[in-house]
Amino acid sequence: MVLFSLVATHADIDLETVAQLSTGASGLATSALAGSPAVAGAVVLATCNRFEIYGEAPHADAVDAARAALITQISGTSGLDDQLVSRAFSTRTGAEVSRHLFAVSSGLDSAVVGEREIAGQVRRALITAQHEGTASSGLVRLFQAASKTAKDVGAQTALGSRGLSIVSVALDLATDLSENPDWSAKKAVVFGTGAYAGATMSLLRERGCTDVSVYSSSGRAPGFVATRGGTALDEDTLPEAVAAADVMIGCSGSDSRVEAADLARIRANAPQPLIAIDLALTHDFDPAVGDLDGVELLTLESVRLAAPQEQAESLAQASSIVSGAAGAFEQEREARSVDSAIVALRRHTMNVLDAEMEKVRARHGCTAAAEEVEFALRRMVKQLLHVPTVRARELAANGQQDAYVAGLEALYGITVEPAPGAAGSGSAVSAAAECPVEHNAPEHTATNSGPAAGDIRETA
């Protein structure tokens, strides 16, 4: 199995294109698995400034087919041309997949370096994929390792210790632009009820803003404010709240957005200026609202340009942790890649042993002597398998697992199946588990004395 990723971020393309690509992101993984055998697993990570798909293919030759299937799917949902979609994504395979995701989860690849929200978004992406049944075992391990790396970076470095996030930088910009920097005197309207909106509510409270209203086109605002405070808005009460607002913050990315013409009409008689902060990937506010009199529009690009630079020492420490974690992950993955070969060798060896023991029992019965012979042979087989098993792990750690598999085929004629099995499962349950010879003679006779076959045998 081979991990790969398709990556489109703020670092390579404009945010408008990222937003368009992510249209229909929620159903992408399920559709990709159903539509192409080349996609064995998929996890989608869509945030305010990135759209990334992490996948697993059955083998290296299937990666191109998996990528093509995903590109076609994204093109269909976004309405963008296939070639444009293909150019927008960079493709990563092998160690580059884990190194990139670990850096992303740790905030090293964010517009605001060291931001907090991205680690949570990575965790939620995995949870969603698991819930939908699209997360393969390899992807689960990848994302769990990424989350652990993010925790290690947070605990062992000063990166992000100031609590920087896209939301916090946006609110800092809003403070600088305001005539009155006192947030306790401001009225805010938040669009959205997701995790991003929750983080926004928390930061507004930290800054002393208590007059916060929440609107959601999905109707989830009442439940959202019930646990976080604030006032829930609906279609009828939204215009009045926007007219009186000092700040409105878009965090929903829903299909409906505030149009410039509507905002101009609603705020025609508003005496105070408005700061509109659009943090949604697909824009909650019409970009033209920034041209209205008395309205200042802040976007993700504004945040990116205003984000402070973290200290070089913290960045170096965090990068070192990420590199080490990615290397360890790849070594473990390489070691796992020979599990099928180890199982195949064990199965082959135990089948030979079981076949020979069948001959012994057929000729001599289930005697104590036969049991002792089998016990000794199984111990010998375990010892013989020890060194080949250790060597398999060592070769895999050095990227030489293919040589090991080729050796098994050349020496024993063993064909290793591509799908990994559980270690130890290759020891087939043979007829030796129950003695096939019926005994009616008294115990301790010359032909059939001794305990039942399964009582003392050591299984491999």
Side-chain angles (χ1 to χ4, degrees), residues 300-364:
L300 288 168
E301 184 64 17
S302 307
V303 172
R304 186 183 69 81
L305 294 174
Q309 295 294 320
E310 290 293 331
Q311 293 183 356
E313 182 179 353
S314 295
L315 280 174
Q317 290 175 341
S319 297
S320 177
I321 293 172
V322 166
S323 296
F329 176 82
E330 289 304 317
Q331 284 188 346
E332 180 184 357
R333 181 170 171 77
E334 294 288 2
R336 286 178 179 272
S337 70
V338 293
D339 283 353
S340 295
I342 293 171
V343 168
L345 178 60
R346 289 172 64 88
R347 181 183 294 115
H348 172 81
T349 307
M350 297 310 299
N351 284 344
V352 171
L353 185 151
D354 289 341
E356 292 304 313
M357 286 308 305
E358 280 296 306
K359 296 176 184 178
V360 172
R361 291 190 204 89
R363 183 174 181 180
H364 300 290

Side-chain angles (χ1 to χ4, degrees), residues 196-458:
Y196 222 21
T200 300
M201 293 286 285
S202 297
L203 286 172
L204 286 172
R205 283 197 302 271
E206 287 180 12
R207 293 171 186 248
C209 184
T210 57
D211 192 340
V212 182
S213 301
V214 179
Y215 171 76
S216 172
S217 59
S218 64
R220 289 194 287 262
F224 181 81
V225 300
T227 56
R228 295 174 175 82
T231 303
L233 301 173
D234 56 24
E235 294 286 349
D236 295 329
T237 57
L238 177 62
E240 182 180 353
V242 170
D246 301 288
V247 179
M248 66 178 191
I249 306 171
C251 306
S252 72
S254 65
D255 293 335
S256 59
R257 69 177 185 178
V258 177
E259 298 296 336
D262 294 333
L263 185 62
R265 175 177 50 80
I266 291 171
R267 294 186 57 87
N269 300 316
Q272 79 285 8
L274 174 70
I275 297 177
I277 304 174
D278 195 349
L279 301 180
L281 184 60
T282 53
H283 296 311
D284 280 338
F285 311 140
D286 178 1
V289 304
D291 298 328
L292 298 177
D293 291 338
V295 178
E296 188 75 41
L297 177 63
L298 298 178
T299 65
L300 288 168
E301 184 64 17
S302 307
V303 172
R304 186 183 69 81
L305 294 174
Q309 295 294 320
E310 290 293 331
Q311 293 183 356
E313 182 179 353
S314 295
L315 280 174
Q317 290 175 341
S319 297
S320 177
I321 293 172
V322 166
S323 296
F329 176 82
E330 289 304 317
Q331 284 188 346
E332 180 184 357
R333 181 170 171 77
E334 294 288 2
R336 286 178 179 272
S337 70
V338 293
D339 283 353
S340 295
I342 293 171
V343 168
L345 178 60
R346 289 172 64 88
R347 181 183 294 115
H348 172 81
T349 307
M350 297 310 299
N351 284 344
V352 171
L353 185 151
D354 289 341
E356 292 304 313
M357 286 308 305
E358 280 296 306
K359 296 176 184 178
V360 172
R361 291 190 204 89
R363 183 174 181 180
H364 300 290
C366 297
T367 63
E371 291 293 340
E372 290 177 4
V373 168
E374 182 174 3
F375 181 83
L377 286 177
R378 288 186 181 275
R379 269 187 25 185
M380 181 186 71
V381 167
K382 286 182 67 176
Q383 292 173 354
L384 288 174
L385 288 173
H386 175 71
V387 172
T389 300
V390 172
R391 286 294 293 152
R393 303 293 187 194
E394 292 174 346
L395 288 169
N398 293 324
Q400 297 176 281
Q401 61 272 23
D402 290 344
Y404 185 85
V405 172
L408 290 184
E409 186 170 355
L411 291 173
Y412 299 104
I414 296 174
T415 300
V416 179
E417 296 296 330
S425 63
S427 165
V429 178
S430 68
E434 295 183 9
C435 181
V437 181
E438 294 188 12
H439 306 285
N440 297 315
E443 193 174 353
H444 301 306
T445 62
T447 59
N448 53 14
S449 64
D455 292 344
I456 64 171
R457 181 171 58 255
E458 180 182 24

